[in-house]
């Protein structure tokens, strides 16, 4: 027997609140400047989307969305000044989700494409049967804050070493945040055009955007004559 929809929504709301609380707790250990650079602490209202396909997707965006309609449900919540609205989507609310095949694993990019939400602050995928417990939320929120802090520091380093290519560095940071994988690779090589190690990472189909970013940071930190 499937779980009661109301109970599932309550569990999801509690999970998101605990995740955001853990994120804020971890962020307080960072320097003030780093805290200000974290996506959840920039003062924008979040919309969190709980999306049920085969896997459960939890993604947050600061992009404006139209008001709910039809069978869609939303819940407003806040923790320590961080405010968000939680909205629920499944193939009944968004029929295009029914065409996503997740039998071999989550398809976050396809989910975002169907919903038309390319710019996300975070996107978590929970496997069937995965927990929405406070422990899972604590782990996810702490890890997310650490991940965002690391990305913030990397982008700051890239900007600091970009020189006359400062505009490219800003474009790269946006592409990296949004997940424009091919644009990330193109801009990274524009920022360090003579680095063979970076070029190899960008050409590797198994390398993710984090690997490209690490290679770019290493390339820009290398002595000029090596590059």
């Amino acid at each position: 027997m499937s779980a009661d929809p109301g109970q599932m929504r309550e569990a999801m709301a509690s999970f998101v609140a605990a995740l955001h609380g853990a994120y804020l707790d971890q962020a307080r250990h960072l320097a003030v400047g780093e805290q200000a650079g974290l996506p959840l602490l920039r003062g924008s209202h979040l919309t969190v989307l709980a999306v049920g396909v085969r896997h459960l997707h939890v993604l947050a965006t600061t992009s404006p969305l139209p008001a709910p309609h039809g069978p869609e449900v939303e819940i407003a919540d806040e923790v320590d000044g961080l405010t968000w609205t939680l909205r629920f989507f499944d193939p009944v609310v968004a029929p295009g989700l029914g065409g996503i095949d997740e039998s071999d694993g989550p398809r976050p990019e396809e989910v975002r494409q169907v919903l038309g939400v390319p710019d996300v602050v975070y996107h978590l995928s929970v496997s069937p049967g995965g927990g929405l417990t406070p422990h899972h939320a604590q782990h996810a929120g702490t890890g997310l804050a650490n991940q965002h802090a690391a990305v913030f520091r990397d982008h700051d380093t890239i900007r600091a070493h970009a020189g006359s290519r400062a505009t490219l560095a800003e474009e790269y940071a946006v592409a990296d945040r949004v997940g424009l994988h091919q644009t990330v690779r193109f801009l990274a090589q524009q920022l360090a055009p003579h680095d063979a190690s970076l070029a190899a990472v960008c050409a590797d189909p198994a390398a993710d955007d984090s690997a490209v970013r690490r290679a770019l940071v290493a390339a820009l930190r290398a002595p000029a004559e090596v590059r």
Side-chain angles (χ1 to χ4, degrees), residues 47-157:
T47 300
V48 181
L49 291 72
V51 186
V53 192
R54 179 181 177 87
H55 294 257
L56 174 63
H57 296 262
V58 185
L59 53 150
T61 181
T62 56
S63 299
L65 299 179
H69 66 280
E72 189 183 339
V73 176
E74 69 172 357
I75 299 173
D77 208 346
E78 69 90 23
V79 169
D80 292 342
L82 173 63
T83 64
W84 67 91
T85 301
L86 174 61
R87 296 170 64 168
F88 299 84
F89 293 86
D90 60 19
V92 174
V93 177
L97 294 171
I100 299 176
D101 181 7
E102 293 194 326
S103 55
D104 293 329
R107 295 286 187 267
E109 292 179 7
E110 292 183 32
V111 168
R112 294 197 295 270
Q113 183 177 13
V114 167
L115 294 175
V117 186
D119 190 359
V120 300
V121 176
Y122 64 78
H123 188 151
L124 308 176
S125 300
V126 181
S127 300
L132 294 177
T133 66
H135 172 76
H136 288 94
Q138 178 77 27
H139 180 75
T142 299
L144 191 63
N146 288 332
Q147 175 189 331
H148 284 173
V151 172
F152 171 82
R153 288 191 290 268
D154 284 347
H155 286 167
D156 225 23
T157 298

Side-chain angles (χ1 to χ4, degrees), residues 6-31:
Q7 292 179 340
M8 288 297 296
R9 287 194 289 268
E10 284 186 20
M12 190 73 254
S14 296
F15 177 85
V16 172
L19 184 152
H20 288 170
Y23 186 105
L24 295 174
D25 288 343
Q26 184 66 20
R28 293 187 184 100
H29 296 290
L30 302 174

